[in-house]
């Protein structure tokens, strides 16, 4: 019996009513790399921090676009209302920039004060040289987002008895900036329709009739045979008014003289 007992397992000698103590295993230290679940992520690049400002920048850009379209609509409505009345009423200058440039086939003028003077001279000399003078808007359209084109017809009855009623057409091109303000007004594509004694050698009416409708119409500007016509005098009077730098016209006269 004594020979057998030493060979018995120690667990067999423990009482059955006393459970053996469970020793938790010690944490093992491994030199291998951490698992993907515990791997530390690198710090985000600096550009990621700008993501929070993107919605605000987008909102500002959208606000600018909204302001542009509001000002564009206001400019179109104002031009449609103002141009037929340029010989009886002053313009609404809120749609123009202070550095607006006016161009015609022969001249260029810059500045809102010069621009106001142009339309004052049109009203003043138009009443002196013509018994009746008026402008009709024939068409308004946009060949591009930042441009407004207006096709108009100017007609008048000179005060001198030897001249009959005359008229001519032209195109006004208005260029807008990104805020919807007009910074350039260019007059071109002039087509004359004077009485027979003042017509060019080639009838401009025939040229106009032969030209198809186009966003960029082109017409010839022929010489006028009688240089003393009321239309030529009208243009010269307006031009001389603008060339006189020393001429100072009161602001109330700019608004009321017609």
């Amino acid at each position: 019996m004594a020979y057998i007992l030493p060979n018995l397992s120690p667990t067999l000698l423990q009482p059955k009513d006393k459970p053996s103590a469970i020793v938790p295993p010690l944490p093992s230290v491994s030199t291998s790399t951490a698992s993907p679940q515990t791997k530390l992520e690198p710090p985000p690049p600096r550009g990621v921090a700008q993501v929070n400002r993107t919605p605000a920048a987008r909102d500002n850009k959208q606000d600018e676009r909204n302001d542009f379209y509001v000002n564009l609509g206001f400019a179109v409505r104002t031009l449609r209302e103002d141009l037929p009345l340029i010989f009886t009423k002053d313009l609404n200058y809120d749609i123009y920039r202070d550095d607006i440039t006016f161009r015609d086939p022969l001249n260029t003028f810059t500045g809102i004060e010069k621009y106001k003077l142009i339309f004052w001279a049109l009203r003043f000399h138009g009443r002196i040289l013509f018994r009746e003078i008026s402008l009709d808007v024939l068409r308004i359209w946009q060949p591009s987002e930042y441009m407004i084109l207006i096709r108009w017809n100017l007609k008048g009855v000179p005060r001198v008895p030897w001249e009959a009623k005359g008229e001519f057409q032209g195109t006004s091109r208005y260029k807008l900036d990104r805020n919807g303000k007009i910074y350039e007004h260019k007059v071109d594509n002039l087509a004359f329709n004077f009485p027979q004694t003042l017509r060019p050698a080639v009838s401009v009416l025939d040229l106009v009739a032969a030209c198809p409708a186009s966003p960029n119409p082109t017409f010839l500007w022929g010489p006028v045979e009688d240089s003393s016509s009321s239309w030529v005098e009208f243009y010269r009077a307006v031009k001389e008014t603008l060339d006189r730098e020393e001429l100072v016209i009161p602001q109330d006269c700019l608004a009321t003289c017609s």
Side-chain angles (χ1 to χ4, degrees), residues 30-252:
S30 175
T31 58
S32 62
T33 58
S35 61
Q37 293 78 2
T38 60
K39 184 178 180 180
L40 297 178
E41 295 293 338
R46 293 183 179 181
V48 177
Q50 300 177 359
V51 174
N52 295 332
R53 295 195 296 269
T54 301
R58 188 183 301 113
D59 292 342
N60 292 336
K61 186 175 181 179
Q62 185 62 39
D63 291 341
E64 291 180 359
R65 297 299 296 169
N66 293 339
D67 292 342
F68 169 79
Y69 288 116
V70 169
N71 292 332
L72 171 62
F74 179 59
V76 172
R77 292 192 303 271
T78 301
L79 292 172
R80 184 186 292 114
E81 296 171 358
D82 282 358
L83 290 185
L85 304 175
I86 62 172
F87 294 103
T88 58
K89 181 183 176 182
D90 200 12
L91 306 182
N92 183 349
Y93 297 102
D94 293 339
I95 62 176
Y96 307 97
R97 283 191 349 196
D98 291 340
D99 60 346
I100 182 173
T101 298
F102 176 84
R103 306 179 189 274
D104 68 12
L106 300 177
N107 305 281
T108 299
F109 303 98
T110 301
I112 192 65
E113 296 304 324
K114 280 282 188 180
Y115 195 69
K116 292 178 180 180
L117 189 59
I118 291 173
F119 291 94
W120 175 87
L122 289 175
R123 295 193 302 274
F124 182 79
H125 296 291
R127 286 298 184 92
I128 292 177
L129 297 172
F130 295 88
R131 295 198 306 268
E132 298 177 10
I133 185 168
S134 61
L135 184 143
D136 297 325
V137 174
L138 304 179
R139 183 187 177 193
I140 302 178
W141 75 103
Q142 280 189 268
S144 62
E145 187 176 24
Y146 293 94
M147 181 181 293
I148 301 172
L149 258 66
I150 298 181
R151 189 69 183 166
W152 43 261
N153 184 69
L154 178 63
K155 55 187 177 182
V157 179
R159 290 190 180 276
V160 293
W162 59 84
E163 290 187 38
K165 176 181 178 181
E167 61 184 279
F168 67 91
Q169 293 187 8
T171 300
S172 288
R173 302 168 181 260
Y174 298 90
K175 294 183 179 181
L176 300 95
D177 60 17
R178 63 180 183 178
N179 296 319
K181 294 289 187 177
I182 297 174
Y183 68 90
E184 181 178 291
H185 176 191
K186 182 179 180 181
V187 174
D188 56 8
N189 295 322
L190 301 177
F192 292 92
N193 176 21
F194 292 123
Q196 186 64 39
T197 57
L198 297 178
R199 279 188 185 177
V202 179
S203 173
V204 179
L205 282 181
D206 297 334
L207 296 173
V208 173
C211 292
S214 170
N216 298 289
T218 300
F219 304 99
L220 297 180
W221 188 4
V224 179
E225 295 176 357
D226 188 353
S227 60
S228 63
S229 69
S230 296
W231 291 103
V232 175
E233 292 298 324
F234 181 45
Y235 181 85
R236 287 175 177 170
V238 174
K239 175 68 167 55
E240 290 174 1
T241 300
L242 294 170
D243 288 341
R244 295 174 60 184
E245 297 290 345
E246 72 278 3
L247 180 63
V248 177
I249 301 176
Q251 294 294 323
D252 56 346

